Each structure stands twice: as C-alpha cells, then as structure tokens.
Amino acid sequence: MSRRAGAGREDVGTSFLLVPGAGGRAWYWHRLVPELERRGHRAVAVDLPAGDDAAGLEAYAAVATAALDALVAGGDGADGDAVVVGQSMGGLTAPLVAARRPVRLLVLLNAMVPRPGETGGEWWDAVGQAAARDDLARSQERAVDADPDADFSHDVPPEVWAAGAEHAFAQSGTPFTEPWPLATWPDVPTRVLAGRDDRFFPPALQRRVARERLGLEVGEVPGGHLCALSRPEALAAALDGLVAQTSSRHADRT
C-alpha cells in the first residue's frame, strides 16, 4: 500500500469509508476512489440496501458499519483512524457509523444534517430546502420548476451521468419515515463540505443548517451536488487536506 511521510515516522494513508446518498450506489464514488488512492489513501464505497422496502436506518447503518470493519481489518492503519464521508442522504447514515465505531473524522458532503427524532421526510420542510432551491434558481435567473435531475447533474460530464443509468437503484421511502435514532451527535470531529455550485442543497442552506444544528462552519469545494462525479480531483484534494489538519485519535492517545 502507498505510504505518506508523517511527522517523524513512515505513515500509512488514511482509510476512507464513502457512504452514498439516495439510491445507495457505491458507483457514485467511482471517480473519487482512484484520486484518493493516488494520494496514498485507501477508500471503500458501500452499496446501501436502497431498493429494499424492509430496510430502514438500522439496516443502512449495519451495512455501512460492516464495510468499515472490513476496511479497517484490511488496512495497516491504527484502529480509529478511518474517515467516514456521507453524501446527501448519506448524512443520515454516516453519523450512525461514527457512533458505533471509533473513527478519526466524520465528513458531511452536501449532506442532510438530521436532528434527534426527526425523520428524513420531515427534514426537507424543517430546513426549508425547497425555498432555498427556488431562491437560488431565481438569483441565477433559472426556472424554479426545473427538472430536479438537472439540479443534481448540471455539472457532471454527460457521458458520466449517462453511464450511471446502468447502476441506478430505486430509493425506498422507508428510511425517510423513521426518526433519526441518536439522542445526540456522535462525539467525533465533524467537518461539513458544500459544493459551491450545488443547486439542490444550496451552499447558503448548508451554512445555515450546519451552524444551527452542529455549531459548525462550512468549507466549500468546487462542483455541484454530485461533486464526486463532477470534480473528483478537487474533492480528493479537499479530503486529503482535512486529514492533514485533523489529529488521529490514535495519535492523541499515545
């Protein structure tokens, strides 16, 4: 495995668990994984049971946690050094993983930030997502009733977006009906990243929600809602930078 120079030691790259949004497709991350590997990291993207109406948040968390366990078991890094990244709807699942296992960092990327007891279905009105999307469209002189797919894919290369059709899963509504189960946010360093061109979760919305719900500021990365598909190099560089800025829990204990 690739190694990176650490402070006074030879350091292995960080292990990333990549949790996708609605549809649960590991494929969403396929352009980011090689960029992280090129920087000396390990990365595994997880397929969630998005098409299973019997699967709720517990099932999503169990699948993602198992993937994290396998990732850590197969690596050279210290226990607790993994980074969990949740994109969009993955913001419901990623914190559940971080609450179950020691991790170095939790990253929310254009993500839903739930409150305890709030359902995913309630989140949209609670944060004012539709109004924020419409306000951004008006400010950019775009139609407010545009096809939502355009808000997802407007900056994704057409050939990449077309290739995704064969990997598409239907998204069950079951996880959106369940109250988010944690009583508090997990005690894990958390960072929030917003695509500066996100039309679906506009950056202004993400900044407000992150401040109100987590007391955190938002870092911006190039690209829209699906920036792992549209700007994988820039996203990998941003994630690499977050790792460099964040001390591992293992290092803190030693």
Side-chain angles (χ1 to χ4, degrees), residues 181-202:
L182 297 185
T184 60
W185 197 258
D187 183 20
V188 174
T190 302
R191 301 291 182 270
V192 183
L193 294 178
R196 66 173 57 104
D197 299 316
D198 192 339
R199 295 179 177 178
F200 194 64
F201 293 172

Side-chain angles (χ1 to χ4, degrees), residues 109-131:
L109 173 64
N110 294 329
M112 299 172 73
V113 180
R115 279 184 170 147
E118 180 181 71
T119 70
E122 293 168 340
W123 180 89
W124 305 86
D125 287 341
V127 302
Q129 182 270 346

Side-chain angles (χ1 to χ4, degrees), residues 21-208:
R25 300 180 295 170
W27 176 88
Y28 167 70
W29 302 104
H30 80 282
R31 301 190 76 200
L32 179 67
V33 168
E35 291 297 333
L36 290 172
E37 292 175 343
R38 189 166 63 83
R39 289 165 171 80
H41 303 299
R42 300 175 69 243
V44 168
V46 60
D47 270 326
L48 297 176
D52 183 357
D53 285 334
L57 293 175
E58 168 59 31
Y60 283 49
V63 169
T65 302
L68 177 62
D69 290 343
L71 174 63
V72 171
D76 298 329
D79 183 37
D81 272 356
V83 173
V84 179
V85 184
Q87 189 266 344
S88 196
M89 182 190 170
L92 303 180
T93 301
L96 304 182
V97 179
R100 297 180 178 204
R101 297 291 188 271
V103 300
R104 177 175 186 167
L105 185 65
L106 172 61
V107 181
L108 302 175
L109 173 64
N110 294 329
M112 299 172 73
V113 180
R115 279 184 170 147
E118 180 181 71
T119 70
E122 293 168 340
W123 180 89
W124 305 86
D125 287 341
V127 302
Q129 182 270 346
R133 175 177 174 256
D134 289 351
D135 287 346
L136 179 64
R138 292 187 189 96
S139 73
Q140 296 178 342
E141 299 183 344
R142 293 184 288 105
V144 298
D145 57 351
D147 181 353
D149 276 354
D151 285 346
F152 282 115
S153 64
H154 70 94
D155 66 333
V156 177
E159 67 276 11
V160 174
W161 182 250
E166 65 184 84
H167 301 275
F169 298 153
Q171 175 58 57
S172 167
T174 300
F176 289 101
T177 68
E178 299 179 342
W180 195 65
L182 297 185
T184 60
W185 197 258
D187 183 20
V188 174
T190 302
R191 301 291 182 270
V192 183
L193 294 178
R196 66 173 57 104
D197 299 316
D198 192 339
R199 295 179 177 178
F200 194 64
F201 293 172
L205 169 71
Q206 296 194 53
R207 286 192 292 269
R208 173 170 54 78

Side-chain angles (χ1 to χ4, degrees), residues 2-7 9-14 81 104:
S2 300
R3 295 179 181 269
R4 308 173 70 214
R9 69 184 178 94
E10 189 178 34
D11 194 13
V12 297
T14 297
D81 272 356
R104 177 175 186 167

